[in-house]
Each structure stands twice: as C-alpha cells, then as structure tokens.
Amino acid sequence: MVDLVSTSYYSGYTMTKKFASATALFLSLAFIPLANAEVAPASDQWRQFSKSGMDSLNLGDYASAETQFKTALGMVQSNSSLKDSLPRVQGNYGESLLQQGKFKEASKEIKKALSLSKSISGKDSLDYAYALTLQSWILQADGKRQDAMQMLKDVLALYSVKAPDSPELADGDEHMAVLSESMGLYDQATEYYTKALNIRKKTSGEQSIDVADLSESLAHMAQRRGQTQEALALYAAALRIKEAQGAPYKAYAPEPTDRTVMFRYFQNAP
C-alpha cells in the first residue's frame, strides 16, 4: 500500500483535511434533519448516510466511510430526482477508497465522478473542481507529479473564481505547496504555503491550529533555503499558538484528523 502522506514528504499532511471543507459545505446544504421523525423517507435517507460517511472520513475511519458513501451512492443512483447530487456522492465514495490506498478501485470511481460532474454540474462547478482534486491525488500516487501539478493549477483557477478566499482554495494551495516541496521546488512551495496561510488566517482564525501547522511548513521551507532566523521565528510562532491552546498536552481522544497535533523532526530544527 502506498502511503500518500509519506510520498508527499510531509508527515503532518492528510488528504482528509483537503477535502473536508468542500464536502462539509455540500452536506450542510443537503442534510436537513426531519423533525419528529425517527426514520427519514427513503428519498432523504441518502443524506443521513452521506453525513455519516463524512463524519467517518473526518475521524479517519475510512472503511466505515466507504460503507456509508456506497450506500448513499446506491440510493442516489436509483432515484432520478437526485441526479444533481450524484457527482458529489460519487466523488465522496472515490475519496473513501483513495484514503485506504485502494488506488485501482479509487481511480475507477473518481473517473466516474469526473465524468458525472462534467456532464451534470459543468466544468465550471465546484463538483468538477472536487473531482479534479481527487484525480490529482491519483496521478501523484502514480508518480505522475507533473501531470498532478497541471491538474491542480486547473483546480486553483476554478476555486479562485468560484470560491475565492475559501477553505477550498486554501486546501488547493496547500496541496500545491506539498507537491512542489516533494519535487524540490522550494520557492514555489513557499509561495503556495503563504497563500494558504493568508486564507487560513481569515477562515480559521489567526490563532488556529491550521495557521500553526502552516507556519511550521513555512519554517521548514525557510530552513531549507538557508533562512535560519526566519525559520526560528516561524517555528516559535507556531509553538506559541499550540501552547496557548494546550494542544501539545491534550490526552488522546477521537477527533477529526485535521485537528491532530503533529510532532515532526527536521535536522537542525529548534
């Protein structure tokens, strides 16, 4: 099984973090609890399975996410009135397979998501951008990093128009930064980490763990580029944020994987 986190040369990075915000937005619009009803009508049950799948995905329970999304997908496929929801659910299912390293199966399902999002939602839609993002991970896992980078440029162009200053755009910038770093393009990686950081400050808050993690990434880039003082300042800023929130001292508890505090060692790092 190929470890996408390891192949990205960034051990604190998870794909779940990159996709969660876009999917959560979709689910917030799609999932509407039914008051005073123990069981939702069949036409609405797919939303519950989709929400459960997303919860499992955020917690890193990818096998459960696969089961939930597969069930939701079957329901959506069998109901023509739910056609507009099909591209996103198809993509969710493909992501759950991708997270487990089931690349052959994931590739097949993600290609379906690309086709559906293109024909149903349109090539200028967020559904299509999401499917392209998934496909870029498939290309990256297959060692086709230049192709993955070109596809990510298309993703960023879409989000810049459809969702400027959004978590989705920050996700794409961070993915591009990670990919650039893995290819030794440190100046480019720094540029995209900085773009992601500026957006995260607006969407997550100046003192968020997201901002601290990105500050660490920028510190690592500064260190690699020989900018020792800048690296020290960024490492210290990240540590202050995490200490202020008590993040390094919290006992383990199940939580979304993107909130997991990562400890990484780089040679000569403080």
Side-chain angles (χ1 to χ4, degrees), residues 14-50:
T14 64
M15 286 185 297
T16 299
K17 183 176 181 178
K18 305 303 104 184
F19 305 140
S21 58
T23 306
L25 173 61
F26 167 76
L27 290 175
S28 69
L29 298 175
F31 179 67
I32 304 174
L34 299 179
N36 302 317
E38 294 183 1
V39 180
S43 61
D44 291 318
Q45 287 181 4
W46 73 273
R47 295 186 177 93
Q48 295 183 348
F49 282 105
S50 289

Side-chain angles (χ1 to χ4, degrees), residues 194-266:
T194 301
K195 288 181 178 180
L197 177 63
N198 290 335
I199 296 175
R200 296 290 185 203
K201 286 180 177 179
K202 297 176 184 177
T203 61
S204 300
E206 295 270 353
Q207 300 300 308
S208 66
I209 297 298
D210 285 339
V211 167
D213 286 342
L214 281 165
S215 295
E216 287 182 357
S217 296
L218 281 167
H220 183 40
M221 289 298 93
Q223 186 178 337
R224 287 199 175 205
R225 297 160 75 201
Q227 299 169 337
T228 305
Q229 292 304 313
E230 182 179 347
L232 285 168
L234 286 164
Y235 279 127
L239 184 59
R240 282 196 297 271
I241 291 173
K242 292 186 176 182
E243 287 183 329
Q245 297 192 24
Y249 316 112
K250 290 181 180 177
Y252 169 79
E255 60 180 340
T257 54
D258 63 305
R259 291 302 177 191
T260 301
V261 177
M262 296 292 180
F263 294 92
R264 292 172 286 153
Y265 174 75
F266 302 115

